[in-house]
């Protein structure tokens, strides 16, 4: 089983790295980290799962890429006013 951990990359900048879940076939991460995004229209978030065992230089087990505009653009119009107030526009 892999000894995996997660990295979050925002606009090609490493912003978070989790602890290693040693030898777990179904790892999970329950963490909350805040990050201020100035322009969510052009923001891209990568979630990378890596293996920390002594084989390679932490090979990639999987990657998920999110375009923030696609996610926030799908929010119902009722809640979009909440995002605007939170952002300060």
């Amino acid at each position: 089983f892999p000894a995996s951990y997660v990295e979050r990359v925002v606009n090609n900048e490493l912003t978070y790295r989790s602890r290693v879940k040693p030898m777990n076939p179904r790892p999970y991460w329950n963490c909350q980290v805040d990050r201020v995004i100035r322009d969510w229209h052009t923001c891209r978030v990568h979630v990378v799962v890596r293996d920390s065992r002594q084989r390679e230089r932490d090979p990639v087990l999987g990657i998920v890429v999110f375009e923030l505009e696609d996610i926030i653009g799908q929010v119902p119009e009722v809640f979009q006013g909440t995002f605007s107030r939170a952002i300060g526009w």
Side-chain angles (χ1 to χ4, degrees), residues 3-37:
S4 55
Y5 65 94
V6 172
E7 293 178 340
R8 183 185 66 191
V9 180
V10 177
N11 290 335
N12 297 324
E13 178 184 343
L14 180 64
T15 57
Y16 178 75
R17 179 177 287 157
S18 72
R19 295 182 301 145
V20 174
K21 298 288 185 174
M23 303 301 182
N24 192 340
R26 297 181 68 185
Y28 67 92
W29 295 272
N30 187 11
C31 56
Q32 296 178 358
V33 179
D34 293 334
R35 177 79 177 182
V36 175
I37 306 294

Side-chain angles (χ1 to χ4, degrees), residues 19-80:
R19 295 182 301 145
V20 174
K21 298 288 185 174
M23 303 301 182
N24 192 340
R26 297 181 68 185
Y28 67 92
W29 295 272
N30 187 11
C31 56
Q32 296 178 358
V33 179
D34 293 334
R35 177 79 177 182
V36 175
I37 306 294
R38 295 195 184 274
D39 185 13
W40 56 269
H41 294 287
T42 60
C43 182
R44 177 179 273 180
V45 178
H46 300 243
V47 179
V48 183
V49 180
R50 293 182 174 269
D51 186 3
S52 68
R53 292 181 291 175
Q54 302 273 337
R55 294 192 179 176
E56 295 180 29
R57 297 189 65 198
D58 292 355
V60 174
L61 298 174
I63 299 176
V64 179
V65 179
F66 298 102
E67 298 284 340
L68 233 54
E69 184 175 28
D70 295 341
I71 296 171
I72 294 177
Q74 294 176 0
V75 174
E77 292 180 13
V78 175
F79 297 112
Q80 288 198 4

